[in-house]
Every structure is written in structure tokens, then in C-alpha cells.
Amino acid sequence: MVPPRTLLGPGPFRVEQLPERSSYELSNGHAILCAPTGRRGGRSNLIGGEVLDTDPAVKSAGVDVGFSPSPGDMRAPDISVGDFSNEPGWAPGAPPLAVEYADTGQDEDELQLKVGELLAAGTKFLWVVRLVGPRRVEIHEPGKQMRLAHPGDELVAPGILHNPVRVEALFDRDAAHEATLRNLLQRRGYESLDEVRRVGVAEGVMEGYQDALLAIMSARALELTDEQRRLVLASTDPNELTGWIARAATAESTSEIFG
């Protein structure tokens, strides 16, 4: 475990001196303490990460992943989207898309320094989600003026995300779940839940519903019992199946889906 900042010494430090799960980032060799996240920020990180991770074009996404573009620098955005491997250790470079949440107590000077360093290291889009005051997102891109997006607006990241992201889906649970369901269905070839219904009606069978449900559960690592699988395959009620599909997008266990 890394000791408190006052015991780290004057520095400068190198990335290899910080073990995984360190409480510090590095800026030009100087250690920057990363404080724990409050309730509102923590909930927002989770639901925003879910929306971005399930986008059909996304290969990798993570929370608090440390990226190191040089030996004396390491930054960990609240959410990172890119193509980094599922292995131990810090990721090289910078994520193509990064998201930061700014809530009460935010150190604005440190936030702006972090934004500038990530953009300089190769981040193409950096979204700062403001949770204090009117909800809004600051959009930062290299060489461009910062611009604002508000609830009802859509955020895009060409070449990184397949779908636009509604601003509110980064902090509102219901909006995030709606976007997550859309993403999971698209990963299985369905544009929307309405298309799943149309396929089922057109084919005169329930296989379309059943396939979508099983695909979402598999994508979310929700394992069916033999009894639950028989229940799904035996159902011929489209309302029952679409209800299970909607719950499967956000459920933490199969019991939440089937009651």
C-alpha cells in the first residue's frame, strides 16, 4: 500500500514506483493524491461507464485505469474508452475517449491540468460531466475551444463510439439503462426492442425474443439455471419475454429478472 502523500517524499517519481491500486497520479513526476469519490459521483461513474462499455463499437472501457504516456506521468480518468488489453499494470499512452465527473469539492486547477495533459498525450475527446448546478457536459478536443452540451443534447465520438450518447445518460439511471439496453440489443443485431418485437411477429415464433434475452444475459455474464433456461425456451408470451429483456439489461442477478 502506498503511504500518505506526506510520507512519499519530495519526488520526482516514476510510474514504476507506483503499484497498482495506488492512490496517486503523476504529473511530470509530482504525486497527485486522488481522493475517494462521493455517493453521487460514484453512482454516476458506474452508470456512465455501463453506457460507454456496452456501445457496439467499444473494445475496452474501464474505471480509474491508469494511463502512462511517459515515465513521469500517469493519469487515471474516471472512465476510459479505447483498445487496451485486459492485463495487470498501467496502460500506455492515453485513452481516445475519457470522462471526468466534477462534483462538490472539485479542485478546478488540478482538473484543468489533467484535461490538458490527457489531450496532449493523445486523448481525442474528453467530457467533463458537471454534477454541481445545472447538469451539463464540457466537451474538450485538442486544438478546439471547449463547448457545452446540456440534457437533451447528444455527445458523439466518431471512430470510437457507434451511438451518440444523450447527456443525461451519463448521470441519470433511467436514461443510462435505456441506452444500455439499446447497445446490448445492437450487439446481437437488433436495432431496438421494437425490432425484436417485429421479428417475433413476422416469423410467427418466439425465437427472436428468446435469442435477444439469452444474448443480453450472456453479454452481462448472468448465468441461467437449467430451470430458468427451460422457462425462457417454453415461454410463448411476447409481453413476458420483452419484460424479461428489459430487466436483463440492468439486473445484477437472474432472480431480479424472473422474480
Side-chain angles (χ1 to χ4, degrees):
M1 178 179 296
V2 176
R5 185 179 185 181
T6 53
L7 301 180
L8 275 179
F13 299 96
R14 294 173 64 87
V15 171
E16 61 265 25
Q17 294 176 272
L18 298 183
E20 283 197 63
R21 302 188 66 81
S22 168
S23 299
Y24 295 85
E25 295 178 328
L26 287 183
S27 174
N28 194 29
H30 299 289
I32 299 172
L33 180 64
C34 299
T37 303
R39 290 171 292 181
R40 181 168 58 184
R43 282 172 58 90
S44 299
N45 286 6
L46 178 64
I47 63 176
E50 180 182 60
V51 170
L52 298 176
D53 181 59
T54 55
D55 182 274
V58 169
K59 296 180 180 179
S60 302
V63 173
D64 293 334
V65 176
F67 283 82
S68 177
S70 66
D73 295 280
M74 191 270 287
R75 288 296 193 172
D78 290 334
I79 303 172
S80 299
V81 178
D83 185 13
F84 46 92
S85 59
N86 186 23
E87 298 176 358
W90 311 123
L97 170 62
V99 181
E100 283 287 309
Y101 286 87
D103 206 344
T104 55
Q106 177 67 53
D107 184 330
E108 287 296 329
D109 290 340
E110 160 55 21
L111 175 61
Q112 296 308 314
L113 177 63
K114 185 173 185 176
V115 168
E117 290 181 350
L118 284 167
L119 294 178
T123 294
K124 297 179 181 178
F125 302 94
L126 198 154
W127 301 339
V128 177
V129 184
R130 294 288 180 177
L131 299 176
V132 178
R135 299 295 173 87
R136 62 207 184 277
V137 174
E138 296 175 358
I139 303 170
H140 299 266
E141 298 179 50
K144 295 184 179 181
Q145 289 285 339
M146 184 273 289
R147 59 190 189 278
L148 291 175
H150 301 88
D153 295 337
E154 292 185 332
L155 304 166
V156 296
I160 303 169
L161 299 179
H162 174 74
N163 290 316
V165 178
R166 287 166 50 201
V167 165
E168 55 268 37
L170 293 177
F171 53 78
D172 180 83
R173 195 166 183 255
D174 290 339
H177 287 172
E178 181 180 336
T180 298
L181 176 58
R182 172 203 63 192
N183 291 344
L184 290 172
L185 288 173
Q186 287 180 356
R187 280 180 173 267
R188 296 299 296 181
Y190 298 99
E191 189 59 32
S192 66
L193 189 55
D194 286 338
E195 184 178 349
V196 175
R197 294 190 179 101
R198 288 194 297 272
V199 169
V201 171
E203 295 181 355
V205 293
M206 294 296 103
E207 281 88 344
Y209 298 98
Q210 295 163 352
D211 178 65
L213 174 60
L214 296 175
I216 290 174
M217 295 183 68
S218 175
R220 302 197 65 236
L222 296 171
E223 295 187 7
L224 284 162
T225 64
D226 290 341
E227 181 180 354
Q228 289 168 340
R229 184 174 294 276
R230 285 194 294 270
L231 183 67
V232 170
L233 297 179
S235 178
T236 58
D237 182 347
N239 292 325
E240 180 178 56
L241 284 162
T242 53
W244 289 340
I245 289 170
R247 289 198 291 273
T250 58
E252 297 300 324
S253 67
T254 55
S255 62
E256 294 180 34
I257 300 171
F258 302 106

